[in-house]
Amino acid sequence: MLDRMHREMEEMYDQMVAWRRHFHQYPEISYQEIETPKKIAEILTGCGIEVRNGVGQRGVVGTIIGAKPGKTVALRADFDALPIQDEKDVPYKSRVRGAMHACGHDGHTAALLGVAKVLSEHRDQLSGNVVLIHQHAEESLPGGAAEMIQDGCLESVDAIFSSHLMSTLPFGVVGTKKGAFTSSADGFEVTIRGKGGHGASPHQTVDAIVVAVQAINQLQLIVSRQVDPMKAAVLSVGTFQAGEAPNIIADSAIFSGTVRTFDPDTRALMEREIRRIVEGVCETLHAEAEIKYTRGYPTVMNHERETDFFLNIAVRDLGAEKALVVPPLPAADDYAYYLEKVPGMYFFTGAAMADPAANFPHHHPRFDFDERAMLVSGKLMLSLVHDFLNKGTTIY
């Protein structure tokens, strides 16, 4: 059965490419997805799959009921795009100004639709059920995952699996690890209020720019001097806004940034130290501060048993040399919320372009990926479903 499903997946390749390129040409950014979920629901319905629309606002959930009773396994793909202008010179370039699939979500969606099509034709051989979670708004807080979970997308689910195409990994390989796999992602915005005045009379002012610069410099010491060197953290200031003229001392300054960590204690430390340092600098330099700290997505924590389950399948299907244990990535994904509710894991599928000159990082205006990677992730998802439902009592 599994070999046959894999062959059928290969036969679906051209269709998956067509779906992927359609989504790529007509991207919809987070919380503006209208036509994308309609198209997904139309394809799933055409496969005879039970569909629920508007899950958590804009998500789509398809359910395949197997002929025999058993467990329920979920597969997830995100489908939102980014507010980036597509700069690629390809026939399937985005036709929507200022919007682009620059992270592979179009490929995730097309691959899961291919998996859905194949599974729908073998439901009479499935001992259990498959839930197909097509998720909106992964790229923007509060994120579609939490909204879909609240709306019941994980009801009766025993385990969940998902993949992310990665342009930084060679085509043909997959990578994952147990435990912390991607980081949490928090944001902060700091407003410094001083006292403006003439540039020739600084003694009569409280220079908000100077205060903000001092605070930013001190924040850079948190990771190097406060965080356990055996743990990881990233603090980056990405924006700075202040001043109106070269001869006027600014009365206010605003800067913002991001914090990435992999464990709860370090996450709490970073927030605590940011507040302490900014407030301390402001008190020393006679300024005031307003600090807005936003906790974003938590760490993706792969469950041990499910990760071992996946790696055994990947070694069997791809070979040991292509089933990699990789370091955690300081990027964030709201897939973390699913893993807080049910057992499961996340894996990366290598999707680097064959031509190195055409390979760009995620969120780049010229991002693209090797479309054959959709076959790799799709086949592995079929294997995961097959073994989880039909062999679960013996190997899972």
Side-chain angles (χ1 to χ4, degrees):
M1 173 184 169
L2 183 57
D3 288 342
R4 182 178 176 183
M5 288 198 299
H6 282 178
R7 288 195 301 270
E8 291 174 5
M9 192 73 183
E10 292 172 358
E11 293 168 1
M12 285 287 300
Y13 178 66
D14 289 344
Q15 178 62 77
M16 287 192 297
V17 169
W19 285 332
R20 181 260 166 159
R21 294 187 178 189
H22 171 83
F23 293 128
H24 197 85
Q25 287 179 291
Y26 301 100
E28 295 179 307
I29 63 176
S30 303
Y31 292 108
Q32 297 181 24
E33 308 99 332
I34 297 173
E35 297 303 322
T36 303
K38 286 182 182 179
K39 181 70 172 179
I40 292 169
E42 175 187 313
I43 294 169
L44 293 175
T45 301
C47 296
I49 296 171
E50 177 186 326
V51 173
R52 187 158 72 100
N53 296 306
V55 182
Q57 294 191 54
R58 299 175 186 270
V60 180
V61 174
T63 303
I64 299 174
I65 306 297
K68 305 171 186 177
K71 295 184 177 181
T72 297
V73 60
L75 305 174
R76 174 265 203 173
D78 39 18
F79 59 72
D80 57 325
L82 287 155
I84 298 174
Q85 182 65 35
D86 193 349
E87 296 180 1
K88 295 190 302 300
D89 184 17
V90 294
Y92 50 89
K93 179 178 180 177
S94 172
R95 297 183 181 183
V96 180
R97 183 170 182 81
M100 174 191 174
H101 275 289
C103 203
H105 295 189
D106 49 344
H108 303 167
T109 301
L112 187 54
L113 288 172
V115 169
K117 173 66 173 175
V118 173
L119 288 173
S120 70
E121 296 174 355
H122 292 273
R123 69 185 82 203
D124 61 330
Q125 301 172 61
L126 295 178
S127 298
N129 310 315
V130 184
V131 175
L132 308 159
I133 299 174
H134 287 273
Q135 182 204 309
H136 63 294
E138 185 278 327
E139 297 286 0
S140 296
L141 294 174
E147 295 170 337
M148 292 187 73
I149 292 168
Q150 186 175 6
D151 202 6
C153 74
L154 291 180
E155 186 175 339
S156 301
V157 168
D158 296 299
I160 187 168
F161 300 93
S162 185
S163 174
H164 199 300
L165 301 176
M166 293 297 293
S167 69
T168 54
L169 280 178
F171 165 73
V173 308
V174 294
T176 191
K177 70 175 291 292
K178 301 174 188 177
F181 188 45
T182 70
S183 68
S184 61
D186 298 340
F188 60 89
E189 181 181 274
V190 176
T191 300
I192 304 294
R193 294 189 177 89
K195 179 182 178 183
H198 200 291
S201 304
H203 61 292
Q204 297 175 348
T205 72
V206 176
D207 192 333
I209 292 178
V210 170
V211 176
V213 168
Q214 289 295 320
I216 291 170
N217 285 337
Q218 293 301 311
L219 291 179
Q220 300 308 312
L221 297 177
I222 298 176
V223 174
S224 66
R225 288 297 177 267
Q226 298 292 326
V227 174
D228 184 337
M230 300 306 293
K231 298 181 179 180
V234 175
L235 186 156
S236 295
V237 174
T239 71
F240 190 107
Q241 301 165 355
E244 297 179 358
N247 63 341
I248 299 175
I249 290 177
D251 63 354
S252 66
I254 301 174
F255 62 89
S256 64
T258 185
V259 175
R260 309 296 173 111
T261 57
F262 291 95
D263 70 88
D265 291 342
T266 305
R267 191 181 194 186
L269 180 146
M270 294 297 293
E271 179 178 359
R272 183 173 65 249
E273 288 301 299
I274 287 171
R275 293 184 183 278
R276 186 184 67 83
I277 286 172
V278 171
E279 290 169 355
V281 168
C282 285
E283 182 177 358
T284 300
L285 298 178
H286 311 292
E288 296 180 352
E290 178 184 348
I291 305 168
K292 297 178 181 178
Y293 195 96
T294 303
R295 287 212 164 197
Y297 303 153
T299 302
V300 170
M301 296 292 293
N302 278 342
H303 294 239
E304 182 173 351
R305 184 170 65 162
E306 285 68 27
T307 305
D308 283 337
F309 177 64
F310 167 79
L311 284 171
N312 288 334
I313 288 174
V315 169
R316 181 194 70 196
D317 288 6
L318 303 178
E321 73 282 0
K322 294 185 178 180
L324 309 179
V325 175
V326 297
L329 183 71
D333 196 304
D334 68 351
Y335 185 70
Y337 292 126
Y338 299 107
L339 297 182
E340 289 183 341
K341 299 295 183 181
V342 298
M345 57 83 61
Y346 203 28
F347 65 95
F348 294 148
T349 301
M353 300 288 282
D355 179 5
N359 207 46
F360 293 90
H362 294 250
H363 294 210
H364 190 281
R366 294 179 65 186
F367 172 84
D368 208 347
F369 62 84
D370 190 325
E371 291 172 320
R372 296 174 299 166
M374 295 188 294
L375 272 181
V376 177
S377 65
K379 286 183 178 181
L380 284 171
M381 286 188 180
L382 288 173
S383 293
L384 285 164
V385 170
H386 174 271
D387 286 14
F388 186 87
L389 296 185
N390 293 2
K391 296 184 179 181
T393 56
T394 58
I395 68 170
Y396 179 73

